Amino acid sequence: PSSWTMSVSAARAMFEGGSASPGGGSAGGARSKSGDGPALYSVLKLDDTTKRPMPISCFAMNQDGSMVAFSPNNNEVHIAEVKEGAFNVLHVLSEHDQKVTFVDWAPKTNRILTCSEDRNAYVWDFSDTWKPTLVLLRINRAATYAKWSNNETKFAVASGQKCVAICYYEEESNWWVSKLVEGFESTVLTVSWHASDIAFAAGSSDGTVRLFTAAVKGVDSKPSQIFGPDVSFKKMGTEICVIQTNAWVQDMAFSPSSEVLAYATHDSSVHFLSVPSGAAPSQEGVQSVRCSGLPHRRVLFLAEDTLVAGGHDNNPTLYCLRGGKWAEGKKLDSGTSVKKESSASSSARSAAFKKFEMSSSQGIDDKNPEADAVLTTVHQNAISGLGTCAAWKEGGRSSKVVSVGLDGRLCSWPVPSLEEAMAGLSIGAQV
């Protein structure tokens, strides 16, 4: 494992040169030499044929961050143990027939939830090995997103069937059954649970965010009227409100208190919806912030007043609450560490081949005199996942966050203090 830690220049020379990974190709790693960048990045999986990093389409972490589950953009989920920044793959879950679209790890029960384009979802329990239990989704289109409820007694699965399946365990039959919540006009791309677990939010490519009731008889206790007397919880799937976004909703997350729902849209904006107690949310309660760069694909609350988002900019970005207004704050990757090391790797491959690859894989114009330069961010492709764990939280605030990307890299980022995150923060970017 110690051989998997190397300099940035050595790591890039190895991967760009097409050589095998030390450690058999299952994992590799590199430490950033600059204090401005992440403390660590690792390549999780190399292609067996090309020996190049495989894109990571989704990932999740266990309660203490000692293990990760990730999918290398195929039908498999790899369970890896983390030791001193190195990754050792212990199990490979291959029950799915098509690409795994999402994985979620329940911190209390230690169950893993996976869903796939094969229209199935599985709940994995560990006893010597990981054993799957099939979920009866009753959908005829791909499952796109899956999320455990906070109490981990049920979960939601979004799908291309314009619906969300609310799933719970039926002990008599020893399987997970579902009830469908409909009302969307296009594919549902993301879901998030309210802290009460009797309501959830969902975002769709129809340009809407919708809140629904989700109390299941026999699973949940009698629900309270958290949204006022006008919202009935007698029937699961009752629509609470509809928020128009005018763009695809890529991801969403409730704040720890569930007083704010944040969601990222494909028009390079992040929106913050106020969810007051005793009343249904409304369009007037939305604050929208225009991103300084490309659209985000994932959002994650690090504290009640701090959100991290990542996506096509390849750079995790903080959004902070100040004076009752949300605004874009600090980017976690300054870009200095990779920039300093770029010259050391220029001889790894010919300039002609590098220009061709940059043009074909990243859309960089080969007529540009700087076309042979690498991206200055540690992530060399879009961020596809963000995560933190309970062990990294102190005083309701996470001290570290992890990101994975389509470049196959997992990066660990220290979270700055609120004062540092707000340095240079401008509210003028609101729309």
Side-chain angles (χ1 to χ4, degrees):
S2 60
S3 64
W4 295 352
T5 302
M6 64 202 77
S7 69
V8 175
S9 58
R12 186 176 297 111
M14 180 183 72
F15 294 129
E16 292 188 350
S19 60
S21 165
S26 60
R31 291 189 183 276
S32 168
K33 296 167 66 176
S34 168
D36 296 331
L40 173 77
Y41 81 76
S42 299
V43 173
L44 292 180
K45 171 70 175 174
L46 298 183
D47 186 272
D48 294 334
T49 303
T50 65
K51 304 303 179 185
R52 295 188 59 77
M54 296 183 67
I56 305 303
S57 57
C58 55
F59 98 117
M61 307 173 62
N62 67 345
Q63 185 178 22
D64 60 4
S66 62
M67 301 183 73
V68 296
F70 65 92
S71 176
N73 205 39
N74 56 19
N75 68 311
E76 299 176 344
V77 175
H78 294 237
I79 311 297
E81 182 182 29
V82 184
K83 282 188 177 180
E84 298 179 355
F87 293 82
N88 180 29
V89 175
L90 303 177
H91 309 276
V92 177
L93 315 182
S94 54
E95 195 74 17
H96 287 289
D97 296 327
Q98 296 183 33
K99 175 185 171 182
V100 175
T101 52
F102 210 82
V103 56
D104 193 25
W105 202 322
K108 301 173 186 175
T109 58
N110 199 39
R111 287 170 170 163
I112 295 177
L113 170 64
T114 62
C115 66
S116 166
E117 292 178 354
D118 63 8
R119 301 169 295 175
N120 289 323
Y122 291 97
V123 174
W124 302 81
D125 292 276
F126 185 78
S127 177
D128 297 327
T129 186
W130 289 96
K131 298 180 180 179
T133 302
L134 181 65
V135 181
L136 299 181
L137 288 181
R138 300 186 294 121
I139 59 175
N140 55 23
R141 294 293 186 271
T144 57
Y145 198 101
K147 197 71 174 177
W148 283 104
S149 63
N150 298 287
N151 59 18
E152 301 174 14
T153 60
K154 56 189 178 182
F155 55 87
V157 179
S159 77
Q161 193 180 307
K162 308 177 186 178
C163 67
V164 176
I166 302 299
C167 309
Y168 56 96
Y169 187 67
E170 195 172 78
E171 193 169 355
E172 294 179 358
S173 304
N174 190 31
W175 57 28
W176 295 80
V177 297
S178 64
K179 293 183 178 180
L180 299 184
V181 177
E182 300 175 319
F184 298 90
E185 298 179 5
S186 189
T187 299
V188 184
L189 299 175
T190 178
V191 294
S192 184
W193 287 91
H194 188 273
S196 65
D197 285 331
I198 59 173
F200 74 94
S204 169
S205 55
D206 65 4
T208 64
V209 167
R210 301 170 191 259
L211 269 69
F212 295 91
T213 60
V216 177
K217 187 177 181 180
V219 177
D220 299 297
S221 56
K222 185 177 180 180
S224 59
Q225 297 300 109
I226 58 175
F227 296 112
D230 294 335
V231 177
S232 173
F233 285 87
K234 292 183 179 180
K235 180 181 178 182
M236 195 207 73
T238 301
E239 191 173 85
I240 300 172
C241 67
V242 181
I243 306 298
Q244 298 294 332
T245 68
N246 300 318
W248 287 20
V249 182
Q250 299 282 38
D251 197 23
M252 59 171 46
F254 275 104
S255 65
S257 68
S258 287
E259 294 179 358
V260 176
L261 173 66
Y263 50 96
T265 52
H266 203 59
D267 60 351
S268 288
S269 297
V270 178
H271 311 266
F272 300 88
L273 172 65
S274 175
V275 185
S277 178
S282 65
Q283 194 78 42
E284 291 71 24
V286 178
Q287 293 183 34
S288 299
V289 180
R290 182 73 69 183
C291 308
S292 61
L294 298 175
H296 297 305
R297 298 183 58 181
R298 292 289 176 258
V299 295
L300 175 70
F301 271 98
L302 302 176
E304 190 68 30
D305 54 7
T306 306
L307 177 89
V308 63
H312 297 283
D313 253 358
N314 315 337
N315 195 340
T317 304
L318 297 178
Y319 290 82
C320 304
L321 179 65
R322 181 178 67 177
K325 298 290 185 181
W326 288 91
E328 182 177 316
K330 181 179 180 180
K331 292 183 181 294
L332 296 184
D333 189 351
S334 64
T336 57
S337 58
V338 174
K339 193 171 184 179
K340 291 177 182 177
E341 298 287 343
S342 62
S343 59
S345 65
S346 59
S347 60
R349 289 180 295 173
S350 68
F353 187 82
K354 183 176 289 187
K355 284 185 178 182
F356 171 77
E357 185 190 45
M358 297 289 280
S359 176
S360 61
S361 65
Q362 298 181 10
I364 296 178
D365 186 5
D366 59 3
K367 295 180 181 180
N368 189 323
E370 297 182 356
D372 59 344
V374 298
L375 296 176
T376 59
T377 52
V378 176
H379 274 300
Q380 297 290 291
N381 208 325
I383 293 173
S384 56
L386 294 168
T388 188
C389 64
W392 300 343
K393 292 184 178 181
E394 184 176 352
R397 188 176 187 84
S398 296
S399 61
K400 185 166 65 172
V401 64
V402 167
S403 62
V404 298
L406 300 182
D407 56 359
R409 295 180 177 183
L410 180 147
C411 299
S412 176
W413 309 90
V415 178
S417 65
L418 182 60
E419 291 74 18
E420 293 175 324
M422 293 170 63
L425 181 147
S426 172
I427 301 183
Q430 292 200 2
V431 294

